[in-house]
Amino acid sequence: MPHVYADSREKRLDFWRGFVGWFVFNVISVGVLGFVLNLAGPVPGSLTLLNIGAPIVLGFTRPYAALGVLVAFGSALALTVTLAIFETPADFTAGRAGPIVFIPFGALGLAAYGIGAFIILRKIHRRL
């Protein structure tokens, strides 16, 4: 049974809970299970199933939280693509310079992503 939202404030809270919750869950899961406990085998499989199943279950119970999870997926993908675009020139120019070249390119990529993500997330927040 889907949740009946009383007002737009509740929709926004549900959306941001799903968005932030996805990042928190994955950082804790990968950090604790993957690095601390060194469980490399079962971690990716179980996280993949949970990341696919969570928006499906939430879609039936809390639709705006499911939307938040899906926007978090898209946001993580956009961050990956943006950083890949900005870090590629550093791969060809680094040579022996190492992090000295990667840091400015990474900072530019994060700035470009941050501006784009802010604009898009602000529009989504206002539409809810």
Side-chain angles (χ1 to χ4, degrees):
M1 180 97 169
H3 178 71
V4 178
Y5 294 97
D7 57 355
S8 62
R9 181 181 182 277
E10 191 178 4
K11 292 177 187 177
R12 288 176 179 155
L13 282 173
D14 224 19
F15 171 81
W16 288 110
R17 283 183 193 132
F19 184 82
V20 173
W22 182 81
F23 284 108
V24 170
F25 169 76
N26 280 292
V27 165
I28 289 173
S29 298
V30 170
V32 171
L33 297 175
F35 296 120
V36 176
L37 299 177
N38 200 14
L39 297 174
V43 173
S46 61
L47 285 180
T48 302
L49 289 176
L50 287 172
N51 281 322
I52 292 171
I56 293 171
V57 171
L58 286 172
F60 290 110
T61 57
R62 310 282 292 198
Y64 285 95
L67 179 64
V69 170
L70 294 176
V71 170
F73 283 167
S75 179
L77 177 64
L79 176 62
T80 303
V81 170
T82 305
L83 286 178
I85 290 169
F86 278 89
E87 290 290 337
T88 299
D91 291 338
F92 294 106
T93 59
R96 293 182 175 253
I100 296 170
V101 176
F102 281 101
I103 291 172
F105 282 105
L108 282 171
L110 284 175
Y113 166 77
I115 292 168
F118 175 78
I119 292 169
I120 292 170
L121 287 172
R122 186 168 182 236
K123 284 187 179 239
I124 291 172
H125 178 79
R126 287 186 166 191
R127 289 289 304 246
L128 296 179

